[in-house]
Amino acid sequence: MAGNVILTDQDGRRRFVALGDSFTEGVGDRNEALPNGVRGWADRVAEKLAKAEPGWEYANLAVRSKRLRHVIDEQLDRALAMEPTLITLYAGGNDILDLATDMELLMAEYEKLVARLAATGATLVLFTGYDVKVSAVLEPFKKRNALYNERVRELAAKYGAVLVDYWCLDAYHDRRMWAADRLHMSKAGHKYMASQVLDHLGVPHKFSPKDWEPPQRLKLRDWERRQRRWVNDWVLPLFGRKLRGVTLGDSLGPRWPEPVKVPRKAGLRKVAERQAAAAAGSVASGDAGNSQHGKAKNNGGT
């Protein structure tokens, strides 16, 4: 574990802002009690930061399916306006899977984004991408992923960022670290990623790797059944969305669009419950007002 490398401003303010796509939003780690129905590694990091040092605030601007240009256009200025002291960024993975992507242009835009975030003086955390072994169909993208990772490592060194080298994390060789779609981490995968980020930042935690029995070898019939289910449930809908030009993130907003103070106990679930109660009260108040307004109109008309 590294020594604590998180910077604070002169007032001692602590604010963590996460940018990116489904990886940072938390897809694969379902939790209906939280915004967008997911939790993820970034929420867990925010909660451990608050336990280690009370007073941490947290915003998560990441939305699934977003490309690098969306992160720049929709998240960058909002993040800078929050004046964060800790920033995490993973972006570009969805671009790699787009056949028309020019990798040199993509990485040039990525560097501009990194440069602006690093210029804030905040602790900046970057991630390489993982070589997900889901199908031979994706093998042509392996060279793109390798190029992306090489450049991310170079830029992390150039701009003094903390690098979490996802590519090198052997724990993700186990299929149980992956959700049913095989592209996003499972709950166990998100927990392990949280532990890696916290270790790199020098923040204490009690996350420990799953002590699993070795995975059982599947019979051919069971493997074929799983493959068919995966293709029908995930692959065909994915290509269908690509043909229609839509994504799963089109109707979603950021999970934590404004900084929230993270409680030391009960964590972000407590914040979500308070927000839901406040929203319900606002709706109830509005309904009551509309009802009274309606009665006044009726009384005035008789």
Side-chain angles (χ1 to χ4, degrees):
M1 180 180 291
N4 193 306
V5 298
I6 301 173
L7 305 175
T8 57
D9 65 11
Q10 59 185 1
D11 299 322
R13 186 174 52 84
R14 301 176 179 90
R15 181 171 291 167
F16 167 28
V17 178
L19 291 79
D21 53 29
S22 56
F23 170 79
T24 302
E25 184 190 351
V27 173
D29 182 12
R30 294 197 61 79
N31 189 317
E32 296 301 329
L34 294 170
N36 292 2
V38 296
R39 189 179 183 189
W41 65 265
D43 279 23
R44 289 182 164 84
V45 167
E47 290 170 344
K48 293 303 181 185
L49 288 169
K51 282 192 175 184
E53 294 180 298
W56 272 94
E57 295 176 325
Y58 168 57
N60 189 332
L61 304 180
V63 177
R64 65 196 71 179
S65 307
K66 295 300 182 182
R67 273 57 178 171
L68 179 65
R69 64 183 182 276
H70 300 130
V71 175
I72 294 171
D73 293 343
E74 301 167 12
Q75 300 178 25
L76 175 58
D77 287 343
R78 294 178 70 176
L80 296 179
M82 294 177 189
E83 299 182 341
T85 57
L86 171 64
I87 303 169
T88 61
L89 171 69
Y90 176 75
N94 289 312
D95 298 84
I96 292 173
L97 297 177
D98 290 338
L99 292 174
T101 297
D102 181 324
M103 288 301 296
E104 288 300 324
L105 180 59
L106 178 73
M107 297 316 298
E109 292 300 306
Y110 179 88
E111 179 170 6
K112 291 178 184 177
L113 173 58
V114 169
R116 290 195 63 186
L117 294 174
T120 65
T123 301
L124 175 60
V125 180
L126 303 179
F127 301 82
T128 56
Y130 194 75
D131 181 22
V132 184
K133 304 288 187 183
V134 293
S135 169
V137 174
L138 296 182
E139 281 303 301
F141 297 102
K142 187 170 184 177
K143 287 184 178 180
R144 288 183 170 196
N145 205 19
L147 171 62
Y148 174 88
N149 290 342
E150 180 182 354
R151 293 295 304 279
V152 170
R153 293 182 186 112
E154 292 172 355
L155 294 174
K158 179 177 179 179
Y159 290 96
V162 175
L163 176 67
V164 178
D165 205 337
Y166 192 14
W167 176 276
C168 298
L169 299 181
D170 291 341
Y172 290 97
H173 291 165
D174 193 307
R175 65 173 178 264
R176 290 167 291 192
M177 297 287 272
W178 299 93
D181 64 4
R182 306 184 188 177
L183 288 173
H184 296 98
M185 295 180 290
S186 65
K187 179 178 180 178
H190 277 280
K191 281 187 174 181
Y192 188 77
M193 182 57 63
S195 75
Q196 290 299 303
V197 174
L198 292 165
D199 284 350
H200 280 72
L201 294 175
V203 177
H205 64 85
K206 294 184 179 179
F207 291 129
S208 56
K210 281 281 189 181
D211 186 17
W212 280 314
E213 294 292 329
Q216 294 182 346
R217 190 177 183 86
L218 293 176
K219 296 179 180 178
L220 179 60
R221 180 179 298 176
D222 293 331
W223 180 85
E224 290 177 338
R225 186 182 299 116
R226 287 194 181 191
Q227 288 297 102
R228 286 196 300 271
R229 184 184 306 149
W230 174 65
V231 169
N232 288 329
D233 291 351
W234 302 103
V235 178
L236 293 179
L238 172 63
F239 280 102
R241 289 192 298 273
K242 281 185 174 292
L243 290 173
R244 297 193 306 274
V246 300
T247 75
L248 292 175
D250 289 345
S251 60
L252 294 176
R255 299 180 56 242
W256 303 104
E258 301 295 337
V260 295
K261 189 170 182 179
V262 185
R264 292 193 71 189
K265 294 182 179 180
L268 290 161
R269 180 166 185 158
K270 186 174 182 179
V271 177
E273 289 172 351
R274 285 202 302 259
Q275 290 182 346
S282 177
V283 170
S285 176
D287 289 343
N290 290 335
S291 176
Q292 291 297 324
H293 181 62
K295 289 179 180 179
K297 284 183 68 178
N298 290 336
N299 288 339
T302 55

